[in-house]
Amino acid sequence: MTHIEPLTPVLGARVTGVDLDDVRSAEAGAPLRAALVEHKVLVFPGQALTPTAHRRFAAALGELTPAHPVVPGLDADHPEIYVLDAGDGGKAPVWHTDVTFVSRPPLGSVLRAVVLPPTGGDTCWTDLEAAYLSLSEPVRELADKLTALHDGREDFEEYLRDRLGGEGSTWEGERVRSLEPVEHPVVRVHPESGRRSLFVNPGFTTRLLGVSEAESRALPDVFFAVVGRPEFTVRHRWRQGDVVVWDNRSTAHYAVDDYGDQRRVMHRITLRGDVPVGVQALSGR
């Protein structure tokens, strides 16, 4: 029997009593999808998934995307699997939400531990709904009205140009040849729960629109100050075979880089999301 145990009062749950290799349809995945919206991060310890089983389980939760807009997938048989190899730039020691530099960021991610260092290499997640609610009411009202620019060029443009010859993956049906910044609301309304969350992150959010340069420098710091507060976070110490699924619409995460040159390899699959909708857009309907 599936057992869901909350990890903190606000974020995360440990799920036991389920073999993810048996979750092979949208019907079987529906209870876990509902739990994902509620808890935002689901930890499945001690699974034994192959790349094919990893893909099959992820497909039971939603529609799969290619591995990444820029980086190719694992192999021809598994183009959806993004290989995060610490020895090849696969480190992310900054709070970020996956792939927010495209117009339709992923709904969620399904991460599987493949090779782990002897110690270290934990991942932290933070609740962006709790972060939003921690802001004072006047600041929340301001945030509700703001739009931010998200830009992936600092992390991926050189890879796209030098290693891929200027031609990345096919994303949303089009071949990625450049990374143009995109606009998203600073506050996103979750399409399933209706809850509001901050939808900015230090990894990809570069500036605010419609405000002065000085305001664009200062205001993100106000928002980033509540992202990653300890009371809004959960930290997972990986064990071989662990799988973690998170809601990319309401969380950010941080891969702790404390293991030096030890090897760490993770496989990630992302689920196709929708265009983020802000408070202003909903109120104007």
Side-chain angles (χ1 to χ4, degrees):
M1 179 180 295
T2 302
H3 178 66
I4 299 176
E5 176 188 3
L7 294 173
T8 79
V10 298
L11 179 68
R14 177 184 173 95
V15 185
T16 55
V18 58
D19 183 345
L20 297 185
D21 196 25
D22 294 334
V23 183
R24 302 187 174 204
S25 67
E27 181 180 6
L32 298 178
R33 173 73 177 261
L36 179 63
V37 174
E38 179 181 355
H39 296 285
K40 306 180 186 72
V41 178
L42 301 179
V43 176
F44 299 89
Q47 300 290 321
L49 298 183
T50 63
T52 298
H54 182 188
R55 178 177 60 193
R56 186 168 52 232
F57 165 63
L61 299 178
E63 182 182 350
L64 306 188
T65 71
H68 190 273
V70 173
V71 184
L74 173 64
D75 54 35
D77 293 328
H78 305 92
E80 308 90 352
I81 296 179
Y82 180 31
V83 179
L84 292 158
D85 187 335
D88 189 30
K91 293 186 175 184
V94 63
W95 286 112
H96 66 286
T97 299
D98 285 335
V99 200
T100 61
F101 54 87
V102 298
S103 61
R104 190 191 295 261
L107 175 158
S109 295
V110 184
L111 189 65
R112 180 171 72 95
V114 179
V115 179
L116 294 171
T119 58
D122 297 356
T123 303
C124 303
W125 286 266
T126 190
D127 186 341
L128 297 181
E129 292 175 359
Y132 170 76
L133 292 174
S134 74
L135 296 170
S136 66
E137 185 175 351
V139 175
R140 288 201 306 269
E141 291 177 355
L142 173 61
D144 288 344
K145 302 172 185 177
L146 294 174
T147 300
L149 205 65
H150 293 241
D151 192 341
R153 290 177 295 184
E154 182 175 346
D155 285 345
F156 296 108
E157 189 170 56
E158 182 178 353
Y159 186 98
L160 176 63
R161 182 186 66 243
D162 297 343
R163 294 182 60 170
L164 301 179
E167 189 164 292
S169 301
T170 298
W171 191 271
E172 296 293 339
E174 296 183 1
R175 180 67 65 175
V176 176
R177 294 184 172 85
S178 63
L179 293 174
E180 300 301 323
V182 300
E183 300 176 12
H184 293 309
V186 166
V187 176
R188 180 177 190 173
V189 180
H190 197 287
E192 294 183 66
S193 70
R195 296 189 294 262
R196 300 179 188 183
S197 67
L198 283 177
F199 198 64
V200 292
N201 65 88
F204 298 123
T205 305
T206 54
R207 63 158 295 145
L208 300 181
L209 303 179
V211 299
S212 70
E213 285 289 336
E215 291 165 338
S216 181
R217 288 193 299 270
L219 286 170
D221 287 343
V222 173
F223 304 140
F224 296 159
V226 296
V227 171
R229 279 173 52 174
E231 59 266 39
F232 305 150
T233 66
V234 65
R235 179 167 178 156
H236 180 62
R237 177 159 294 176
W238 292 94
R239 296 290 182 265
Q240 200 64 44
D242 285 356
V243 174
V244 178
V245 184
W246 64 91
D247 193 326
N248 205 55
R249 301 164 295 186
S250 55
T251 65
H253 54 284
Y254 186 111
V256 181
D257 182 9
D258 60 353
Y259 49 94
D261 60 359
Q262 298 294 319
R263 193 156 185 240
R264 181 181 187 269
V265 179
M266 314 294 280
H267 284 181
R268 188 188 79 193
I269 295 176
T270 51
L271 308 177
R272 189 172 188 264
D274 48 15
V275 175
V277 174
V279 178
Q280 296 291 93
L282 285 179
S283 62
R285 290 179 180 174

